[in-house]
Amino acid sequence: MFILAKIADLVQIVPEDFNKDAAQAIEDNINAKYANKVIQKIGLCICLYDLLSSSEGLIGHGTGLVNVNVEFRLIVFRPFKHEVIIGRISSASTDGIRVRLPFFDEIFVPRQSLPEGSEFSSEQIYEWRTEDNTLFFDTHETVRLRIQDEVWKDQSPVGPREKDEPSNSLSIPVGSGKTKNSPYSLIGSMDDAGMGPIIWWDGEEAEEEEEAMAE
């Protein structure tokens, strides 16, 4: 689920940070720039892991900023394909179910990736009707899902001509205040044995343990 990404960048230290230890000032700058940001084809940056190297600081002409070339590693959230993760159902629509983690809520499970026989009910949740029972995908329920794909959206400004061009990339339906233009989204499935609400398979005690791990 988490990886280390090696990055090289130019850090600019403002005069207000000159009273800090040099390493601390650099680390604070890196976290402010990258934490909770998405880097295309790398993932969601969580925080700095370690500082590998840094150059001598050079004062910029007329700015007072100290420029430092640095190399560092970031902790990045990017599940691999087919990885099983645990989250909570945040909402559902006729298109499918949205799942969130404590720090990430752009996970979507399409309707066709739910167990066969699942139907969207008037209660705004999905029900899985089996021969013997009816099981529910309740909102806020803790679930297991398998990552099937990832969706990247370039957030760079585009011209009017580019906006009018059709896109062949995979999209996620808009719903519950979310935007299909999120820079990084995940597509999951819950149609295998053991997937879906944990309580179906493991009981309440196992669900509590899974929730504690997820938090």
Side-chain angles (χ1 to χ4, degrees):
M1 184 184 298
F2 296 99
I3 62 174
L4 290 178
K6 187 176 179 180
I7 306 289
D9 198 1
L10 175 69
V11 168
Q12 293 185 314
I13 309 299
V14 298
E16 289 82 357
D17 286 341
F18 288 173
N19 62 328
K20 296 181 180 179
D21 176 75
Q24 186 62 53
I26 292 172
E27 291 177 8
D28 290 347
N29 188 290
I30 292 171
N31 277 321
K33 183 175 182 178
Y34 287 96
N36 203 32
K37 303 293 194 305
V38 171
I39 301 177
Q40 284 290 307
K41 303 302 180 180
I42 293 180
L44 173 66
C45 300
I46 304 299
C47 64
L48 175 71
Y49 179 74
D50 60 2
L51 183 64
L52 300 177
S53 65
S54 61
S55 68
E56 293 292 330
L58 298 176
I59 299 177
H61 178 70
T63 65
L65 301 176
V66 174
N67 299 309
V68 183
N69 289 303
V70 295
E71 195 172 69
F72 53 92
R73 291 187 295 179
L74 295 171
I75 299 175
V76 175
F77 171 71
R78 188 182 182 182
F80 57 82
K81 192 171 184 178
H82 303 310
E83 181 176 359
V84 174
I85 65 174
I86 296 170
R88 287 180 183 270
I89 295 175
S90 57
S91 64
S93 68
T94 54
D95 295 307
I97 294 175
R98 285 192 174 274
V99 178
R100 60 179 172 83
L101 304 178
F103 54 88
F104 186 76
D105 59 2
E106 293 294 340
I107 305 173
F108 183 72
V109 180
R111 181 173 185 158
Q112 61 270 24
S113 296
L114 297 173
E116 185 176 355
S118 298
E119 297 292 339
F120 189 63
S121 73
S122 58
E123 301 295 326
Q124 303 299 301
I125 63 173
Y126 276 88
E127 300 175 354
W128 180 28
R129 297 184 177 91
T130 66
E131 294 182 358
D132 303 320
N133 205 349
T134 299
L135 302 174
F136 303 94
F137 291 86
D138 291 322
T139 303
H140 306 306
E141 193 76 70
T142 302
V143 295
R144 286 195 198 96
L145 67 144
R146 190 182 306 279
I147 300 301
Q148 296 291 74
D149 208 347
E150 51 188 9
V151 182
W152 301 94
K153 294 286 186 179
D154 189 357
Q155 300 297 291
S156 302
V158 297
R161 182 175 299 176
E162 291 174 292
K163 289 182 179 179
D164 295 336
E165 293 177 354
S167 173
N168 295 322
S169 60
L170 182 64
S171 63
I172 296 178
V174 177
S176 304
K178 303 300 180 184
T179 171
K180 64 180 179 181
N181 292 321
S182 174
Y184 178 51
S185 305
L186 297 169
I187 304 294
S189 69
M190 291 192 285
D191 58 355
D192 294 331
M195 298 295 108
I198 290 172
I199 194 171
W200 292 0
W201 311 98
D202 302 342
E204 294 183 1
E205 292 183 3
E207 181 187 29
E208 291 175 359
E209 292 179 4
E210 297 280 11
E211 288 178 356
M213 292 177 62
E215 293 173 356

